[in-house]
Amino acid sequence: MNHDHPCPVPDFEFWFSRSDEGPFHPGGETIEDAVTEALCQGEFQEIDPDDDHPEWRAGVFIIIARPRHVDLSKWFDAERWIEDLRDRTEDECDESGDCHPLEGMDLADQKALQAAVRNAIWHWQNRRALPLKAYWLETQGAARFETRPHPENERDHS
């Protein structure tokens, strides 16, 4: 079974943060959208005036990213489940511990079980529309630092 994710991830967009370590926030389809949103939300670094730039500036870290969605079906492990089940069904054996109900299961059965259960989990997650977003983003390339005129250059920054 090689399905796409049960809840497809959105396209890559520009995300912003005041730090290269995040947290990053969705900013839109262009760098300018992301910088504008960061300035509106106050999510930028203030950069002091210097010889090259006599005005205060705002600095924003920008990345191209999208949320990561977890495909829950990939986490089902039939071997672990069967081992746990074997321990939990010990009382189904005869007095000497022989004739365990799982004795007739071979590797091909285990692989078929894994495929069937993963398929069922995938369809369940798809029908329920559960993207199960991971904390970390999927990124393209490194963060870049964008500077713009400070949104409040008229104010006194001293």
Side-chain angles (χ1 to χ4, degrees):
M1 178 183 85
N2 189 4
H3 289 289
D4 291 332
H5 191 282
C7 299
V9 295
D11 291 334
F12 283 94
E13 293 185 313
F14 291 90
W15 291 58
F16 64 87
S17 176
R18 69 176 65 219
S19 164
D20 63 341
E21 295 179 2
F24 284 88
H25 311 280
E29 295 181 11
T30 69
I31 289 176
E32 286 308 315
D33 290 344
V35 170
T36 299
E37 187 65 25
L39 296 178
C40 288
Q41 291 187 26
E43 283 291 321
F44 56 85
Q45 294 180 11
E46 292 188 320
I47 303 171
D48 295 339
D50 59 26
D51 292 337
D52 294 330
H53 301 281
E55 297 278 327
W56 282 83
R57 291 174 296 143
V60 179
F61 286 92
I62 303 291
I63 61 171
I64 300 172
R66 65 182 179 188
R68 286 181 43 212
H69 290 181
V70 175
D71 179 353
L72 197 57
S73 69
K74 292 182 178 179
W75 292 95
F76 177 75
D77 183 333
E79 182 179 357
R80 289 175 120 182
W81 185 77
I82 290 169
E83 192 60 40
D84 179 54
L85 186 59
R86 184 176 307 283
D87 293 342
R88 294 171 54 197
T89 57
E90 285 296 318
D91 60 342
E92 301 296 329
C93 300
D94 64 16
E95 299 84 28
S96 64
D98 295 330
C99 300
H100 194 282
L102 299 178
E103 281 180 9
M105 187 180 291
D106 63 15
L107 186 57
D109 295 325
Q110 182 177 311
K111 286 181 178 184
L113 173 67
Q114 179 156 306
V117 172
R118 284 184 174 187
N119 192 40
I121 292 169
W122 188 96
H123 285 286
W124 167 82
Q125 186 176 354
N126 177 266
R127 282 190 308 275
R128 304 291 300 170
L130 297 171
L132 303 175
K133 295 179 183 177
Y135 174 77
W136 300 104
L137 298 170
E138 180 181 353
T139 60
Q140 288 183 339
R144 58 191 276 183
F145 191 65
E146 294 284 323
T147 60
R148 299 292 187 275
H150 195 286
E152 299 176 21
N153 268 335
E154 304 83 43
R155 77 176 188 177
D156 178 20
H157 287 273
S158 43

